Amino acid sequence: MTVIVAAAVVKREGRVLLTRRLQGTHLAGFWEFPGGKVEEGEDPEAAVVRECREECAIDLEVVDVIEVAFHRYERKDVLLLFYECRLASDREVQHLGVAEHAWVLPSQLRDYPLPPPDERLVRKLQAGR
Protein backbone atom coordinates (compact mmCIF):
# COMPACT_ATOMS: atom_id res chain seq x y z
CA MET A 1 0.00 0.00 0.00
CA THR A 2 1.26 3.47 -0.89
CA VAL A 3 0.41 6.43 1.32
CA ILE A 4 0.38 9.85 -0.35
CA VAL A 5 1.72 12.69 1.79
CA ALA A 6 1.58 16.40 0.96
CA ALA A 7 4.19 18.60 2.64
CA ALA A 8 4.64 22.37 2.71
CA VAL A 9 7.88 24.19 2.02
CA VAL A 10 7.19 27.54 3.68
CA LYS A 11 9.85 30.25 3.59
CA ARG A 12 10.05 33.37 5.72
CA GLU A 13 12.96 35.80 5.73
CA GLY A 14 15.22 33.24 4.04
CA ARG A 15 14.34 30.48 6.49
CA VAL A 16 12.30 27.31 5.98
CA LEU A 17 9.68 26.02 8.42
CA LEU A 18 10.32 22.61 9.99
CA THR A 19 8.15 20.82 12.53
CA ARG A 20 9.10 17.97 14.85
CA ARG A 21 7.07 14.77 14.94
CA LEU A 22 5.31 13.83 18.16
CA GLN A 23 6.45 10.93 20.32
CA GLY A 24 4.45 7.78 19.66
CA THR A 25 4.09 8.47 15.92
CA HIS A 26 5.87 7.01 12.89
CA LEU A 27 9.35 8.62 12.77
CA ALA A 28 8.85 10.17 16.22
CA GLY A 29 11.36 12.90 17.00
CA PHE A 30 12.34 13.50 13.37
CA TRP A 31 11.99 16.96 11.90
CA GLU A 32 9.96 17.37 8.73
CA PHE A 33 8.35 19.83 6.40
CA PRO A 34 4.81 20.28 7.79
CA GLY A 35 1.92 18.47 6.16
CA GLY A 36 0.43 15.03 6.24
CA LYS A 37 -1.52 12.22 4.69
CA VAL A 38 -3.81 12.89 1.76
CA GLU A 39 -7.24 11.43 2.55
CA GLU A 40 -9.06 9.26 0.01
CA GLY A 41 -10.58 11.47 -2.69
CA GLU A 42 -8.81 14.59 -1.39
CA ASP A 43 -6.79 16.89 -3.62
CA PRO A 44 -3.14 16.93 -2.39
CA GLU A 45 -3.04 20.73 -2.46
CA ALA A 46 -6.13 20.88 -0.25
CA ALA A 47 -4.55 18.26 2.02
CA VAL A 48 -1.40 20.28 2.66
CA VAL A 49 -3.48 23.36 3.52
CA ARG A 50 -5.75 21.32 5.82
CA GLU A 51 -2.92 19.46 7.55
CA CYS A 52 -0.96 22.65 8.26
CA ARG A 53 -4.07 24.30 9.68
CA GLU A 54 -4.85 21.25 11.87
CA GLU A 55 -1.29 20.65 13.11
CA CYS A 56 0.17 24.17 13.22
CA ALA A 57 -2.80 26.60 12.97
CA ILE A 58 -1.25 28.31 9.95
CA ASP A 59 -3.06 29.31 6.78
CA LEU A 60 -1.26 28.61 3.53
CA GLU A 61 -1.56 29.35 -0.14
CA VAL A 62 -0.09 26.67 -2.42
CA VAL A 63 2.22 28.02 -5.12
CA ASP A 64 3.52 24.93 -6.95
CA VAL A 65 4.83 21.41 -6.48
CA ILE A 66 8.63 21.61 -6.18
CA GLU A 67 9.70 18.03 -5.47
CA VAL A 68 8.33 14.50 -5.49
CA ALA A 69 9.90 11.63 -3.55
CA PHE A 70 9.12 7.96 -3.02
CA HIS A 71 10.39 5.92 -0.08
CA ARG A 72 9.80 2.33 0.94
CA TYR A 73 9.60 1.90 4.71
CA GLU A 74 9.35 -1.51 6.35
CA ARG A 75 5.57 -1.29 6.83
CA LYS A 76 4.47 1.08 4.06
CA ASP A 77 5.47 2.94 0.93
CA VAL A 78 5.20 6.74 0.93
CA LEU A 79 4.88 9.07 -2.03
CA LEU A 80 5.70 12.62 -0.89
CA LEU A 81 4.57 15.72 -2.74
CA PHE A 82 6.46 18.80 -1.59
CA TYR A 83 4.67 22.08 -2.31
CA GLU A 84 6.09 25.57 -2.21
CA CYS A 85 3.60 27.49 -0.06
CA ARG A 86 3.15 31.04 1.17
CA LEU A 87 1.78 32.08 4.53
CA ALA A 88 -1.73 33.45 3.95
CA SER A 89 -2.10 35.09 7.36
CA ASP A 90 -0.03 36.49 10.21
CA ARG A 91 -0.85 33.62 12.55
CA GLU A 92 2.08 32.26 14.49
CA VAL A 93 2.84 28.54 14.37
CA GLN A 94 1.13 26.61 17.17
CA HIS A 95 1.93 23.09 18.33
CA LEU A 96 -1.46 21.41 17.88
CA GLY A 97 -0.17 18.22 16.25
CA VAL A 98 3.59 18.73 16.35
CA ALA A 99 6.11 18.68 19.17
CA GLU A 100 7.87 21.92 18.17
CA HIS A 101 8.85 24.01 15.19
CA ALA A 102 11.88 25.89 13.90
CA TRP A 103 12.60 28.40 11.15
CA VAL A 104 15.85 27.10 9.64
CA LEU A 105 18.31 28.50 7.14
CA PRO A 106 18.72 26.10 4.20
CA SER A 107 22.42 25.79 5.07
CA GLN A 108 21.42 24.44 8.52
CA LEU A 109 18.93 21.80 7.36
CA ARG A 110 21.44 18.98 7.88
CA ASP A 111 21.58 19.91 11.59
CA TYR A 112 18.00 18.59 11.91
CA PRO A 113 17.35 14.84 11.51
CA LEU A 114 14.96 14.60 8.56
CA PRO A 115 13.37 11.48 7.06
CA PRO A 116 15.35 9.87 4.19
CA PRO A 117 13.02 10.92 1.35
CA ASP A 118 13.65 14.62 2.14
CA GLU A 119 17.28 14.43 0.98
CA ARG A 120 16.78 15.56 -2.62
CA LEU A 121 14.63 18.49 -1.48
CA VAL A 122 17.29 19.53 1.03
CA ARG A 123 19.92 19.54 -1.73
CA LYS A 124 17.62 21.64 -3.91
CA LEU A 125 16.96 24.19 -1.13
CA GLN A 126 20.65 24.42 -0.28
CA ALA A 127 21.40 25.10 -3.93
CA GLY A 128 19.03 28.09 -3.76
CA ARG A 129 16.17 26.60 -5.73
Side-chain angles (χ1 to χ4, degrees), residues 21-71:
R21 295 187 60 85
L22 292 169
Q23 292 302 314
T25 63
H26 176 65
L27 300 174
F30 273 81
W31 290 85
E32 65 182 354
F33 296 91
K37 182 179 170 188
V38 177
E39 300 297 334
E40 188 172 333
E42 186 177 30
D43 180 287
E45 291 184 16
V48 73
V49 170
R50 175 186 55 75
E51 285 282 348
C52 288
R53 188 177 302 122
E54 290 174 359
E55 294 186 353
C56 304
I58 57 174
D59 295 315
L60 297 179
E61 177 183 314
V62 175
V63 177
D64 199 4
V65 65
I66 58 172
E67 188 62 67
V68 177
F70 176 83
H71 191 76

Side-chain angles (χ1 to χ4, degrees), residues 55-122:
E55 294 186 353
C56 304
I58 57 174
D59 295 315
L60 297 179
E61 177 183 314
V62 175
V63 177
D64 199 4
V65 65
I66 58 172
E67 188 62 67
V68 177
F70 176 83
H71 191 76
R72 181 163 280 137
Y73 290 99
E74 185 177 314
R75 296 178 188 231
K76 62 183 168 185
D77 297 340
V78 177
L79 178 67
L80 286 130
L81 306 172
F82 294 99
Y83 289 95
E84 177 185 354
C85 296
R86 283 191 286 262
L87 290 170
S89 71
D90 292 337
R91 283 189 190 169
E92 287 299 315
V93 177
Q94 296 179 36
H95 304 152
L96 305 176
V98 299
E100 59 184 304
H101 78 280
W103 289 97
V104 179
L105 290 170
S107 62
Q108 298 172 322
L109 285 169
R110 296 197 189 283
D111 297 339
Y112 294 78
L114 294 161
D118 294 10
E119 179 60 32
R120 195 166 59 198
L121 175 62
V122 168

